[in-house]
Amino acid sequence: VDAGFDAHKIPYDVLWLDIEHTDGKRYMTWDRSKFPTPRRMIEDVASRGRKMVTIVDPHVKKDGGYPVFKEAESKNFYVKKADGTTDFDGWCWPGSSMYLDVTSPVVRDWWAGKFGLDQYVGSTKDLYIWNDMNEPSVFNGPEVTMQKDLIHAGGVEHREVHNAFGMYYHAATAEGIRRRNDERPFVLSRAFFAGTQRVGPVWTGDNAADWDHLRVSIPMVTTLGLTGLTFSGADVGGFFGNPDAELMTRWYQIGIYYPFFRGHAHLETKRREPWLFGDEYTPVIRDAIRRRYQLMPYLYTLFDAASREGSPVLRPLWYEFPDDPSVWAREDAVMLGPAILVHPVLHQGADGVDVSLPKGVWYDFDTGEKHVGPKRWRYPTSIADVPTFVRGGYVVPRRDRPRRSTAAMAGDPLTLVVAPDANGDAVGEVYLDDGASETSSYVRRAVTFSKHKE
């Protein structure tokens, strides 16, 4: 897979490994028949500026030969039944499982230590983590989760902490990566709560390869952003089912604007690497993904603003145009920050999109053609077209050289795209740092253009 991306000149940054990479669904282990030399594999991928992610879920396989299970059991670290003394035994992917009581700071501290390189055998500093099933999912529980009368640290019933349980697990995992690398952690989580935005990204869960799911991903991701969880996205192509070439291509064309962008599919679906949908579609998908990388300086600057101000990266139109009633209910178009409007193609077989531009000056991202809003018209589309516009009055920073990863782009020059408003003025911002450390030096610069200034 890694070599395939390079062979087809498609950039990517992360390879993800789901539960089948483990030894019998014992997390933080490796299936030695499939991954006999995990450290060497991770180091090879990292040599090209890329990372890997493995899945680690909160259920611990009940197995006396599994060191993580035995140690947690000996330390009395599991959630208890209603009697307050017996470890709760629930059913999840490994079968019979125990659940770490991450509401306890002692348990969270212990769990964070398990991500040390001396603990997680086969890992390196280029391996990051993905927490799934952390609501928590219990297959044989009521509502597919824990009973409300289970007991946590301090005698607290599960009903009191259910909504925060997943965030505690997420936070403990992220703390483990922070300790290991002494830099910003990256841990994806399915469960979240108020405060999760300080821990890491989330995604919308198990969607399907369906046009309705493509369409609904837009209000789902923008709503998460409005609540403060702006680092979010949906599985491109859908988790369940097999997207055809058209759906896959259209999903990439909007997915590149999700703040969190990845492809992810069920084990029993067909292979869906971007180059497997035919010669007509491979270059179109490549161009879409390259645009994501081209806009990385702009995206990174938006994330800096989000970290300081809480402003969402991907926004509904009404966020930028609150006084325009015509956009209040629009869910078929989005703003990437304040400067870029995207009207994705969301219907099968569509040969055009009804574009509606709010008041102001707009420039077609691909052709530079100028439009003055409010304006509504039918924009004809081939499979390669996605109506995208730069808002007049803004400067958009880009990096235009195609590269294999963000690491390979680090030293490339910036391109500043100036889109003047009706008065000939434009403003923007550029934020740069080392991309990893939590206390690095940084540059944050305002960029101003005016035709009235010499």
Side-chain angles (χ1 to χ4, degrees), residues 148-177:
K148 294 180 176 63
D149 60 354
L150 297 185
I151 302 299
H152 294 270
V156 177
E157 288 190 333
H158 183 71
R159 73 182 79 244
E160 303 294 337
V161 296
H162 174 82
N163 289 345
F165 182 93
M167 183 186 68
Y168 279 129
Y169 187 73
H170 190 196
T173 305
E175 176 59 24
I177 301 302

Side-chain angles (χ1 to χ4, degrees), residues 213-428:
H213 282 225
L214 166 62
R215 287 187 286 271
V216 79
S217 73
I218 296 174
M220 289 179 76
V221 173
T222 54
T223 298
L224 284 167
L226 291 167
T227 67
L229 297 167
T230 197
F231 199 0
S232 63
D235 287 339
V236 171
F239 177 71
F240 292 113
N242 298 302
D244 63 17
E246 183 187 9
L247 176 58
M248 196 74 207
T249 302
R250 292 306 190 193
W251 211 316
Y252 268 112
Q253 289 170 334
I254 183 59
I256 61 166
Y257 299 107
Y258 298 155
F260 172 68
F261 170 54
R262 73 162 183 176
H264 173 224
H266 190 272
L267 177 67
E268 296 176 0
T269 59
K270 296 178 181 178
R271 295 286 291 266
R272 57 168 77 169
E273 286 86 345
W275 54 89
L276 295 180
F277 293 89
D279 293 342
E280 177 186 358
Y281 296 93
T282 298
V284 179
I285 294 174
R286 179 194 299 121
D287 288 347
I289 296 173
R290 282 184 174 179
R291 176 164 293 183
R292 167 78 173 202
Y293 281 76
Q294 179 188 50
L295 289 172
M296 202 60 71
Y298 178 60
L299 279 163
Y300 202 66
T301 300
L302 292 176
F303 270 102
D304 169 59
S307 72
R308 293 181 291 110
E309 304 165 0
S311 52
V313 172
L314 195 68
R315 308 169 181 183
L317 267 62
W318 60 258
Y319 186 94
E320 288 295 323
F321 303 96
D323 298 324
D324 183 351
S326 70
V327 305
W328 290 351
R330 295 296 296 270
E331 294 183 342
D332 59 350
V334 286
M335 294 293 298
L336 184 67
I340 296 177
L341 187 152
V342 184
H343 257 285
V345 181
L346 301 173
H347 294 274
Q348 187 174 18
D351 60 3
V353 174
D354 291 324
V355 169
S356 180
L357 296 178
K359 183 179 180 180
V361 177
W362 299 88
Y363 301 87
D364 190 296
F365 191 102
D366 296 294
T367 68
E369 182 181 358
K370 182 179 177 180
H371 301 270
V372 179
K375 181 179 180 181
R376 186 178 180 91
W377 80 104
R378 183 73 172 175
Y379 190 116
T381 57
S382 69
I383 191 62
D385 298 318
V386 181
T388 306
F389 303 90
V390 181
R391 185 179 178 185
Y394 287 88
V395 178
V396 177
R398 306 190 323 204
R399 282 198 167 106
D400 286 355
R401 293 179 182 174
R403 298 291 192 182
R404 63 169 35 150
S405 66
T406 53
M409 298 167 59
D412 287 350
L414 286 171
T415 296
L416 298 179
V417 178
V418 179
D421 62 15
N423 297 318
D425 301 329
V427 296

Side-chain angles (χ1 to χ4, degrees), residues 1-7 10-15 39-52 126 293 403-410:
V1 173
D2 174 74
F5 275 90
D6 286 341
I10 300 173
Y12 92 94
D13 269 62
V14 181
L15 280 177
R39 176 179 286 273
R40 188 173 73 182
M41 172 185 65
I42 299 165
E43 290 173 346
D44 178 61
V45 170
S47 71
R48 289 176 290 282
R50 292 160 175 159
K51 312 294 183 183
M52 295 193 71
D126 291 301
Y293 281 76
R403 298 291 192 182
R404 63 169 35 150
S405 66
T406 53
M409 298 167 59

Side-chain angles (χ1 to χ4, degrees), residues 135-204:
E135 290 78 17
S137 289
V138 182
F139 293 160
N140 61 337
E143 301 173 312
V144 201
T145 190
M146 287 183 178
Q147 290 94 331
K148 294 180 176 63
D149 60 354
L150 297 185
I151 302 299
H152 294 270
V156 177
E157 288 190 333
H158 183 71
R159 73 182 79 244
E160 303 294 337
V161 296
H162 174 82
N163 289 345
F165 182 93
M167 183 186 68
Y168 279 129
Y169 187 73
H170 190 196
T173 305
E175 176 59 24
I177 301 302
R178 178 180 286 109
R179 290 183 195 176
R180 185 196 70 186
N181 286 16
D182 191 27
E183 65 181 30
R184 302 173 210 167
F186 177 90
V187 179
L188 175 69
S189 175
R190 192 170 76 181
F192 54 85
F193 191 58
T196 288
Q197 74 279 359
R198 297 177 297 175
V199 180
V202 301
W203 91 106
T204 59

